Every structure is written in C-alpha cells, then in structure tokens.
Amino acid sequence: MNQYLSLSAEVAEALENHKPLVALESTIISHGMPYPQNVETAKNCERIIRENGAVPATCAILGGKLCVGLEPQQLEYLGKAGQAVTKASRRDIARLVAAEADGATTVAATMILAKMAGISIFATGGIGGVHRGAETTMDISADLEELAQTDVAVVCAGAKSILDLGLTLEYLETKGVPVIGYETDELPAFYTRTSGFKVDCRMDTPQQIADTIRASFGLGLHNGMLIVNPIPEENSMDPDYIGQVITQAVAEANARGIHGKEITPFLLGRIKDVTGGKSLESNIALVYNNARLAAQIAAAL
Ligand code: PSU
Ligand code: MN
C-alpha cells in the first residue's frame, strides 16, 4: 500500500473483502457545482452506488494525504470551500502532498488515486478533452493523457461541447483509448444524448463492459477506457438552446482572456448562470445515471 494513501474504513474493508468499488472525483464538488447542491449530489451518488451493490470511494487530497473514501464532513468541507480548494490534476499531486495541503481531484488525479488503491471503475459527469480552438491554444486536458496510461475505466456522459468533440475522439483514438457507448452508437454531448459523432463500439449490458475491462487488464494493456452513458431522455436539454449558451460562454471566456485550469470551471459556472440553473438539474441527473451504471459494471466485474 502506498505510504501517502489514506483509505476510509468502508473502502479498506471493501478492498480487503474484494467487494466491488466505484471511485468518484471531487473537482466536480468544489469546481463543478455550487453549494449546497454539490454536497447533496456527492452524498446521493454514494447512496446510489451502495444501492446498486458497490462501495463508493470519493477521492481528494486532504492535509497532504491521498484520501480514497471520504467522511460526510469532508464532503461538506470541499463543497463549502468550493474554488478556494486547489483543483488538483496529475501535476499538482506531489506539491500538495509535500505541503500537506488540500486538493480536489480532477478525473486525471482521481484515476491515479483509484489505481493506487486498486479500484478500476470510476464514475463522473463529464471529462476534460480537446478544447475548441486547441489547434492554436493547445488546450488539451490532462484527463486524456491519463486515460492513455492508467488502467481505470471511467463512466461519463460524454463531454460538454465547450470542447471540440470530434478532436477529443480523434485524440482518444490516437492514444489507444476505447470509447464504449452504453446503449448508444453516438458520443453523447453531456446535456444531450447525441452529438453526431460515432463511438468506436457499442455495448448494451454492464456484463459486456465488465468482460471488456477484465480482458484489457488481463492483457496488460495499461490504458484506461471511456464508457459513455447518455443523459436520461427526460433530463436532456434542447440542443440548439444549450449550443447557443455554450458558444456564448466560450466567447466570453476568450474575450476575458481566461485560460489554463481556470477555463473549465469558468465555463461551467457561466452555463449554469445563463440557463438559470436548468443545466445544473440536468448535470445532477446524469451524474446519478453514471453512478448507477458504474456500480452495475463494478458488480459484474
Ligand atoms: N467537465 C464537466 N464537469 C467537471 C469537469 C469537467 O462537465 O466538473 C472537471 C473534471 O474534474 C475534469 C476537469 O477532470 O474539470 C477537467 O479540467 P481541465 O479541462 O482543466 O483538465
Ligand atoms: Mn486545459
């Protein structure tokens, strides 16, 4: 066991007894949603995972410890602190550990913590990817590099079109990351069930996905996998409307010169404000949907 890891009692017990586990990230809590909906969503995700036969393991860096499995008061702390907590991706981990500081883990960092603990399934909302305009800005999320090198399967609702979805898929193909559509042939675009871009394969049962994960690990391929799960129909948004909102938010970010790790949280916040909280409702619904599927896959594994 890695000396920097700190497992909750529930996670330690589950690992010891080979129970199915599902990792959860914490940037979505601190930087992805406002308080108190963020804490409520985090707690409900954990409940949904338990109801579906798996053990939740929310990840964060607290006091320099790589925490896998958080107590309710730790979720509350991250949710209240919000953007005051460091958004921690791969490159931030070592300095936060050395400084005994706190960090909310992105998809990339959560994959690293999950892997260290021995957890192979991870549920979230959306991943980072290749940003619109990346051909000049070179803004490509570290999440994609992590998927290329860390063998954890990430269940998400596709990616928001704050990203260039076509380029994101090309990048994943180059890096050897399978993109599995759950009951769909298309990459979902987070708020909507379709994007016009095809995934590389479709699977219709959690067992099929679990078998593929097992084969990938057994082969020693070492890359991650992306499982894309469309938002439930009843929670999906009008594509033209949300498309306009996103284009406006991206233009605003460019006009203000926002870049680097600030841009994703800025866009998420603007989208929520402009839609008057409507996007937040959809966001919460799709996260629950992903937690459920991830627990089913973990149980099947
Ligand atoms: N996309 C979302 N919601 C999120 C994020 C992305 O729809 O909360 C967060 C995740 O933690 C993701 C991170 O790993 O943003 C990506 O940030 P960046 O693009 O700076 O790598
Ligand atoms: Mn970036």
Side-chain angles (χ1 to χ4, degrees):
M1 181 63 62
N2 188 297
Q3 60 172 316
Y4 301 108
L5 268 184
S6 171
L7 306 180
S8 69
E10 186 188 18
V11 167
E13 189 273 334
L15 283 167
E16 203 170 300
N17 295 301
H18 306 287
K19 291 185 182 166
L21 285 119
V22 175
L24 295 162
E25 63 153 312
S26 47
T27 297
I28 190 175
I29 304 173
S30 59
H31 291 67
M33 290 183 191
Y35 181 82
Q37 288 93 338
N38 52 5
V39 176
E40 202 182 304
T41 304
K43 289 181 179 168
N44 283 331
C45 271
E46 294 199 344
R47 179 178 52 73
I48 290 165
I49 289 169
R50 289 190 189 97
E51 285 169 2
N52 285 275
V55 172
T58 307
C59 296
I61 303 172
L62 295 169
K65 286 280 173 209
L66 307 183
C67 297
V68 177
L70 299 184
E71 302 301 329
Q73 71 271 16
Q74 293 174 317
L75 293 176
E76 185 75 24
Y77 159 70
L78 289 169
K80 266 200 176 135
Q83 309 222 358
V85 175
T86 301
K87 172 181 164 187
S89 198
R90 171 180 270 270
R91 70 172 178 183
D92 305 294
I93 298 174
R95 71 173 170 96
L96 293 172
V97 166
E100 298 182 2
D102 300 336
T105 50
T106 63
V107 169
T110 303
M111 289 177 74
I112 294 170
L113 269 60
K115 166 85 183 168
M116 278 183 191
I119 300 173
S120 42
I121 313 285
F122 163 19
T124 187
I127 58 157
V130 180
H131 278 261
R132 291 191 195 178
E135 57 275 25
T136 51
T137 64
M138 288 183 72
D139 189 348
I140 300 173
S141 174
D143 291 353
L144 299 187
E145 293 300 325
E146 210 55 52
L147 281 161
Q149 61 175 313
T150 300
D151 46 0
V152 169
V154 180
V155 180
C156 70
K160 288 192 174 72
S161 61
I162 59 173
L163 304 174
D164 186 317
L165 301 183
L167 291 187
T168 300
L169 283 175
E170 291 293 350
Y171 202 84
L172 288 166
E173 183 181 358
T174 300
K175 294 289 179 174
V177 179
V179 180
I180 300 172
Y182 180 64
E183 295 182 324
T184 183
D185 298 302
E186 265 188 47
L187 178 74
F190 199 87
Y191 299 116
T192 57
R193 293 173 59 83
T194 56
S195 65
F197 294 101
K198 293 261 174 285
V199 290
D200 64 291
C201 66
R202 170 193 177 130
M203 295 189 188
D204 294 303
T205 65
Q207 187 63 55
Q208 230 183 329
I209 298 171
D211 291 346
T212 307
I213 292 169
R214 194 200 318 275
S216 181
F217 291 176
L219 288 161
L221 292 177
H222 297 304
N223 55 271
M225 273 187 212
L226 201 59
I227 294 130
V228 295
N229 185 28
I231 185 172
E233 187 78 62
E234 63 273 26
N235 303 108
S236 69
M237 297 182 77
D238 178 67
D240 293 333
Y241 170 65
I242 194 68
Q244 275 168 22
V245 170
I246 289 172
T247 298
Q248 183 191 326
V250 170
E252 220 172 293
N254 290 340
R256 293 212 209 170
I258 295 168
H259 62 272
K261 69 196 286 189
E262 318 295 337
I263 194 155
T264 300
F266 173 84
L267 293 173
L268 300 180
R270 284 305 292 154
I271 294 166
K272 179 193 68 75
D273 290 346
V274 173
T275 61
K278 187 85 195 64
S279 65
L280 182 59
E281 268 174 53
S282 296
N283 198 342
I284 293 170
L286 67 84
V287 171
Y288 294 163
N289 195 43
N290 296 342
R292 191 174 310 111
L293 176 60
Q296 290 165 355
I297 296 168
L301 199 63

